[in-house]
């Protein structure tokens, strides 16, 4: 592995662990899915990769005094199995869409990220609630990229595969 592995989250295949076929690795990664997890691992065909682990960080709608506001943020880990090198190549994607509508303005902001990301964030919003107009907490979230990536890397390594974080170039 390389000098910047600590930046990309890359890890060599563990010594002494026989590498399992890609089909077995795929099943083991899909087995991480559970009802209580805040993310899902699914087929990556729409994104042209083998698997996608996707976490909806925030999906909230609320009313403010003069404007209706919303925020949607998604984080994905795209994975492609490189059987020749015995590595799972991964790239992170994050999309944020924020909109605000009110009288007399309308605003929309979109941002995206692709590469390797290490993040810890949290947030809480208080506002007037739409249903009963009471003031209170409308959403609360906490996000750590390691909560989604660590189980993926551990599963790949347990199957004898390395993990290669891709920051630039092709997955």
């Amino acid at each position: 592995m390389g000098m910047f592995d600590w930046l990309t989250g890359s890890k060599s295949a563990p010594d002494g662990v026989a590498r399992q076929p890609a089909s077995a690795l795929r099943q083991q990664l899909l087995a991480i899915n559970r009802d209580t997890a805040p993310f899902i691992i699914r087929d990556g065909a729409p994104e042209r990769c083998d698997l996608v682990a996707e976490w909806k960080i925030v999906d909230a709608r609320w009313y403010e005094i003069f404007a209706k506001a919303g925020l949607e943020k998604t984080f994905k880990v795209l994975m492609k199995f490189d059987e020749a090198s015995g590595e799972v190549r991964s790239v992170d994607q994050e999309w944020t869409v924020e909109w605000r509508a009110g009288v007399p303005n309308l605003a929309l902001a979109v941002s995206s990220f692709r590469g390797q990301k290490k993040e810890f964030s949290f947030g809480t919003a208080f506002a007037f609630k739409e249903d009963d107009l009471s003031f209170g907490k409308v959403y609360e979230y906490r996000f750590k990229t390691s909560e989604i990536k660590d189980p993926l890397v551990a599963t790949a390594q347990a199957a004898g595969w390395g993990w290669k974080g891709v920051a630039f170039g092709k997955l």
Side-chain angles (χ1 to χ4, degrees), residues 14-35:
D15 292 331
V17 178
R19 184 169 27 148
Q20 297 179 15
S23 58
L25 173 62
R26 178 184 178 84
Q27 291 307 311
Q28 291 169 16
L29 287 166
L30 288 169
I32 295 172
N33 282 325
R34 63 190 190 284
D35 291 338

Side-chain angles (χ1 to χ4, degrees), residues 59-134:
D59 189 357
R61 301 275 189 285
W62 68 93
Y63 275 106
E64 294 179 292
I65 296 174
F66 298 110
K68 183 177 179 183
L71 172 70
E72 185 170 320
K73 187 173 183 177
T74 61
F75 178 76
K76 297 179 184 180
V77 178
L78 281 63
M79 296 169 274
K80 194 164 212 167
F81 307 145
D82 184 349
E83 290 196 71
S85 65
E87 292 178 331
V88 176
R89 295 176 55 84
S90 77
V91 69
D92 302 346
Q93 285 185 341
E94 183 179 74
W95 291 88
T96 303
V97 178
E98 195 171 353
W99 57 271
R100 184 176 303 261
V103 178
N105 65 30
L106 173 66
L108 172 68
V110 178
S111 65
S112 68
F113 170 84
R114 183 184 189 277
Q116 293 298 310
K117 187 165 197 159
K118 293 180 190 226
E119 176 184 341
F120 174 72
S121 61
F122 56 91
T124 304
F126 291 87
F128 288 99
K129 297 179 183 177
E130 178 180 1
D131 54 349
D132 61 2
L133 299 178
S134 65

Side-chain angles (χ1 to χ4, degrees), residues 1-53:
M1 291 256 132
M3 178 171 56
F4 296 105
D5 290 346
W6 62 276
L7 281 174
T8 63
S10 297
K11 295 188 177 197
S12 299
D15 292 331
V17 178
R19 184 169 27 148
Q20 297 179 15
S23 58
L25 173 62
R26 178 184 178 84
Q27 291 307 311
Q28 291 169 16
L29 287 166
L30 288 169
I32 295 172
N33 282 325
R34 63 190 190 284
D35 291 338
T36 57
F39 60 88
I40 186 167
I41 302 167
R42 61 174 174 78
D43 181 62
E47 286 90 351
R48 296 185 192 154
C49 60
D50 292 312
L51 290 175
V52 173

